[in-house]
Amino acid sequence: MIDARHVLIDLLTDSGTSAMSSNQWAGIMQETNRTRKQQLLSFRTGSKRYHRYAFYYTYAPGAGIRENTFQHIGGKGKFFVSNTLFDTTRANIEFSGATGVDLLCEEGKHPAIPAPFKGNLDTVALEQFINKTGSENIPAVILTITNNSGGGQPVSMQNIREVKAICKANCIPFYIDACRFAENAYFIKLREEGYQNSSIEDIAREMFSYADGATMSAKKMHLPI
Ligand SMILES: *Cc1c(COP(=O)(O)O)cnc(C)c1O
């Protein structure tokens, strides 16, 4: 509720805090001379390298997309299930009156245990939660990749596939919080069997192909890959 100009240092977000490449700075200069429609088109063309979603919405700042989306489909009595909701995503969900539910896999809760994909969602717990709560009360399942609030731990392709299958069987929309998707794709290449020879782009495309939609902050870590 505080006016943005009164916030001198934002300790909540890591958006817009990383160094930008010369290509990114040049991109800003080039886009400045274009109309908003041209800007949107070039954003869409770039995005289509990774996914084929039918609609694109751009907001400044990025948090606005979650504000609009989750507050629109949320509300009292609704539950959003996730591996771990990013704090500002959770804030928008809770502001609508809905409840955020984190169902992180067990190994993700123990920092000392080494495991390749500690950001995975506990799919057994997800099925139990859906049975208990009723799919009509769950507007969306949101997989955060990588699981930023959980130490930036990655989610495996197998887990993404399993979450998709459960959502599909229960008619629940499946969203990806994609702020750090490139890093997640890299970890899949590094650690998941069968992906060593795939390109990061192909892995990203497969990840997005399972979801009904995605939100992301474009000020994150999307250095040209
Ligand atoms: C950074 C980030 C966001 C967006 O955060 P803002 O508060 O909009 O800057 C959302 N989800 C994840 C997983 C993030 O890493």
Side-chain angles (χ1 to χ4, degrees):
M1 299 293 179
I2 299 172
D3 193 324
R5 71 203 153 99
H6 293 131
V7 180
L8 301 183
I9 304 170
D10 183 353
L11 295 174
L12 181 62
T13 187
D14 51 357
S15 292
T17 55
S18 59
M20 300 218 315
S21 68
S22 48
N23 268 340
Q24 284 177 311
W25 284 113
I28 288 177
M29 301 303 284
Q30 279 168 352
E31 295 298 331
T32 306
N33 282 330
R34 293 181 162 165
T35 63
R36 177 147 167 78
K37 185 157 186 213
Q38 286 171 323
Q39 289 172 356
L40 201 59
L41 271 175
S42 75
F43 172 73
R44 214 184 279 187
T45 309
S47 299
K48 279 200 170 165
R49 282 170 58 193
Y50 301 101
H51 43 70
R52 298 269 157 189
Y53 300 136
F55 302 103
Y56 288 81
Y57 300 96
T58 54
Y59 285 78
I65 182 74
R66 285 164 297 143
E67 197 173 309
N68 271 18
T69 311
F70 300 132
Q71 290 188 19
H72 184 66
I73 61 176
K76 214 169 153 44
K78 304 282 184 201
F79 296 84
F80 289 81
V81 187
S82 179
N83 45 350
T84 310
L85 291 165
F86 189 69
D87 47 16
T88 49
T89 309
R90 174 179 282 279
N92 279 303
I93 285 169
E94 289 179 352
F95 195 70
S96 81
T99 307
V101 181
D102 293 341
L103 300 176
L104 185 62
C105 66
E106 191 53 36
E107 59 267 34
K109 298 171 193 161
H110 305 279
I113 299 176
F117 292 104
K118 296 174 76 170
N120 282 355
L121 189 149
D122 183 339
T123 47
V124 175
L126 174 62
E127 286 193 300
Q128 284 170 351
F129 186 82
I130 295 170
N131 290 339
K132 190 179 77 180
T133 312
S135 56
E136 69 280 11
N137 296 316
I138 306 172
V141 171
I142 303 163
L143 211 43
T144 312
I145 59 171
T146 60
N147 193 25
N148 200 355
S149 296
Q153 294 288 335
V155 177
S156 70
M157 193 73 87
Q158 190 188 334
N159 193 248
I160 298 173
R161 243 182 259 124
E162 284 171 13
V163 170
K164 164 71 183 177
I166 294 170
C167 287
K168 198 170 172 202
N170 290 282
C171 297
I172 300 172
F174 169 35
Y175 283 88
I176 289 179
D177 184 342
C179 289
R180 315 191 70 213
F181 76 91
E183 193 176 296
N184 201 87
Y186 173 70
F187 277 116
I188 287 175
K189 182 177 172 70
L190 205 65
R191 297 178 176 175
E192 190 161 352
E193 218 187 307
Y195 287 96
Q196 275 67 44
N197 297 322
S198 307
S199 69
I200 300 285
E201 275 196 41
D202 281 343
I203 294 172
R205 259 191 289 274
E206 185 179 341
M207 293 187 324
F208 284 120
S209 74
Y210 297 122
D212 298 303
T215 59
M216 74 167 207
S217 161
K219 288 162 77 187
K220 270 292 166 59
M221 45 161 285
H222 309 287
L223 290 172
I225 54 170

